[in-house]
Amino acid sequence: MTRTPYRRRRLAALLAAVVGILGTATTAAPAASAAPAQAAAVGAGVPPRMTDGYGLTQVDQSVGGPTNFYLTVTTPEVTGKHHIKIILPSGYYDDPTRRYPVLYFLHGSPDDPIQQNYPALTTSNAMITVIPDGGARGWYANWLNQNTQLGAQNWENFHLNQVIPFIDANLRTVATKKGRAVAGVSMGGFGAFHYAQDRPDLFSQTASLSGDIDLSVDSMDLRLAVVASLVDAQGVICGSSSGACDPNNDPYKPAVDSDALFGTPYPVFNADWRWNAADPSQHMDKLAGVGVSVYVGNGRGVATEPEFWLEGASKHVKDRMDALGMPYYYVDYGDGSAWGSQCNGGHNAYCWEQDLRDLIPRLERAFAS
């Protein structure tokens, strides 16, 4: 009886550590510098008109200008409204015959496409960037349980079967494997590898920026971070503490069952086989013929910093690629002291901005080769 408050404090502390691994909720992206004015206003200076199709229906009004804007769509595959942010090269309208490769950039948890304001993403004049909504905790997957309070959660179907052909139909893209890359931060890093492994016919390049790319029992901390987002561990922490957080500002409500995504996460008698099937680290062989990039820091060696755990996950992936004899590009920038001017080696947008400043020119060269 007298141990109950102590046990609650221990549970709250454990969940707090796990929730910290999740993503980008507490770190805003650095503000983008003002883009140069267009040489001439395109039409009325509004986003280009896009035609519905492939299961996507545009709702509300597109927001932004001719080369940097977002749409809002609905789809039977995922309940609710979803943003798709699109960044076009500044010269997109100059040559109506030119086609462009596309980078699909996947955000972290619990972010939204319109929050992805990395200046680096606006620097390329050689490719289109598309940032689709992945949900606060969609995990870029088709959920096992479609009957939770969240309703339909087929994120992979939404992105691969709907968003990609929708973009190809509406914009001047290079609509081939050679002309597509997929990259992401944190939760989106998992999504980038997961998608490229499931559909290597769609992507020629994939990149993880501080990604949850090892969900095996070797990185049980990251698997528990996914579970924390499903069961709304943040809400549990708020409920067990006084003034530590605002329960009304909880992106992981409502809580769903820990088995909703990939079935049971607990490694007992291979009951977690669906987690292992979806775990990128165990299937790196599927990326043969795809360019692989990994960026990660070390969180300055502090165990309460998410990047500390993600570095271990990235090293596991590197070891498996080495064992397979795979080519890859790997950057561990440690404490960030030599990686840009603002990166501190942590799980934050300042380090990811520098990752993108390194990645985007490399993608441009790969697309052009």
Side-chain angles (χ1 to χ4, degrees), residues 65-290:
T67 60
N68 194 330
F69 57 96
Y70 68 86
L71 316 171
T72 304
V73 302
T74 60
T75 168
E77 297 291 353
V78 185
T79 301
K81 295 181 180 181
H82 306 285
H83 295 137
I84 301 174
K85 183 172 182 176
I86 299 171
I87 302 171
L88 300 176
S90 59
Y92 180 82
Y93 299 98
D94 296 342
D95 181 355
T97 66
R98 181 176 177 181
R99 293 188 169 272
Y100 294 86
V102 183
L103 165 63
Y104 288 89
F105 185 71
L106 309 181
H107 65 76
S109 169
D111 280 352
D112 181 275
I114 62 177
Q115 297 171 310
Q116 308 308 296
N117 296 318
Y118 299 95
L121 291 177
T122 65
T123 62
S124 178
N125 288 319
M127 66 185 184
I128 296 167
T129 298
V130 176
I131 310 172
D133 186 15
R137 48 171 171 182
W139 289 101
Y140 299 99
N142 296 335
W143 287 27
L144 177 64
N145 185 357
Q146 298 290 318
N147 297 312
T148 71
Q149 295 181 68
L150 297 177
Q153 297 290 297
N154 288 312
W155 293 95
E156 185 166 357
N157 288 351
F158 169 41
H159 295 139
L160 303 189
N161 299 340
Q162 296 182 316
V163 172
I164 289 178
F166 172 84
I167 293 296
D168 286 339
N170 281 282
L171 298 173
R172 298 195 314 275
T173 67
V174 177
T176 64
K177 170 188 172 85
K178 174 66 178 175
R180 296 192 197 96
V182 59
V185 301
S186 196
M187 177 180 76
F190 164 81
F193 275 23
H194 178 60
Y195 284 175
Q197 288 175 339
D198 276 6
R199 293 294 305 275
D201 59 304
L202 289 179
F203 305 103
S204 60
Q205 298 284 329
T206 186
S208 165
L209 286 58
S210 303
D212 298 54
I213 52 178
D214 184 357
L215 297 183
S216 72
V217 294
D218 294 333
S219 292
M220 199 66 185
D221 46 291
L222 298 187
R223 186 182 291 193
L224 289 177
V226 178
V227 172
S229 72
L230 298 174
V231 302
D232 187 21
Q234 179 171 311
V236 173
I237 295 169
C238 288
S240 62
S241 60
S242 176
C245 54
D246 179 6
N248 296 317
N249 186 24
D250 180 359
Y252 303 112
K253 294 192 301 187
V256 298
D257 190 86
S258 62
D259 297 2
L261 179 59
F262 298 130
T264 179
Y266 305 109
V268 180
F269 300 116
N270 199 38
D272 61 338
W273 66 270
R274 290 187 180 88
W275 287 82
N276 296 323
D279 168 34
S281 72
Q282 298 182 57
H283 305 286
M284 296 306 294
D285 58 301
K286 292 184 177 181
L287 294 180
V290 177

